[in-house]
Amino acid sequence: MIPYSRQSINQEDIDEVIRVLQSSHLTQGAEVELFENAICEYIGCRYAVTFNSATSALLAAYSVAGIKEDDEIITSPISFVATSNMFISLGAKPVWCDVKLDGNIDERFIERLITPKTKAIVPVDFAGKPVEIQKINEIAKKHDLLVIQDSSHAFGSEVEGKKIGTFSDMTIFSFHAIKPLTTGEGGCIVTDNEEFAQSLKLFRSHGIVKKQYWNSDMIALGHNFRLTEFAAVLGRSQLKRIDEFLEKREVIANYYDERFQGHNLFTTVKPDMNTRSSRHLYPIVLSPALACPKENIFAELQDKGVGVQVHYKPIYQNSFYKKMFGETHLHVSDDFYRCELSIPCHQEMSHEDAKFVADTFLEVIEKYSYRGCSF
Ligand SMILES: *Cc1c(COP(=O)(O)O)cnc(C)c1O
């Protein structure tokens, strides 16, 4: 089966990890710092603080932003649950804003959700396609809110030639195995704000600062959210090939775009002018008539070796959130979940693989085209 996404590890990655495993130092140290410097250089930001996952990074970002009990955060429901979960663990409340047909937060609806309790806007660059970050920043500035971007999908994505990570107060990337760049598990926050960077480093490592000789002092509450040295060296080795990865996914996505152009049973998500998407996912939005047999389409594609997946069940539809906040219905988000399928798009795929996926997908979709229902 061709998975919807997967990592790409070469011999150099392996050699580098082995080199570090054979060294005297395995936990956060010089390699982590080298990786963070390399991230800053690639993104074009002042500070990069790595974490053992993007989930830890989200908790850290929200914490140093001062988000606390009863605060409200405006965010997207079309995301992995961690984006909202980490507010909950601080006692804050996610306020979900509906999305657009591309799965990104609909910036036109943000302002009406702002209350005196709102502290931040947390958009998600779905599938790697940048959100309308300039418009979101304007709204945030007008209402004195922070913008914390969950860019777990969007390492390497750009707006007007500038990398995602240079636009918001803090930007989070995930280095999970299937994300654009991997350290196995891992994540990172980039920022230009020195105070945030210092606080993030404390939060990551027990809130302890070193003093002279044996003396250290714990000055804030912290965790152990550190990355290992061998994960960091893997990340730095991967970073050398990130543009190659992005290029390969772009070629596959462009091929799909061409094959699927003008199709009336589904639409695809196109990057906006003057932007670049990491193409972390290739989402297909089925026409509503096909959403009913989506389970059958999904199963048949998987049977035929096409590893499709669905991104995402709106966060508010999970039982945990229903218990906490009752039923939530956002029109476009609900429809998006009914209609979305992500087809394989990653750097380990050959052109033949992409052709196989496109052929199989079209064959299955056309087979179901007359069996749909409406809702
Ligand atoms: C993967 C992902 C996360 C969580 O990342 P981890 O590194 O697995 O903790 C958070 N948000 C989004 C949008 C993601 O896709």
Side-chain angles (χ1 to χ4, degrees), residues 62-85:
Y62 301 159
S63 299
V64 308
I67 289 165
K68 54 181 190 325
E69 216 158 319
D70 295 330
D71 287 345
E72 292 178 359
I73 295 92
I74 297 168
T75 190
S76 170
I78 298 297
S79 183
F80 184 58
V81 287
T83 316
S84 285
N85 288 353

Side-chain angles (χ1 to χ4, degrees), residues 3-20:
Y4 78 89
S5 181
R6 64 156 296 171
Q7 74 277 13
S8 170
I9 302 289
N10 71 4
Q11 193 57 43
E12 194 181 336
D13 293 339
I14 294 166
D15 292 344
E16 283 290 272
V17 170
I18 290 172
R19 177 177 67 75
V20 171

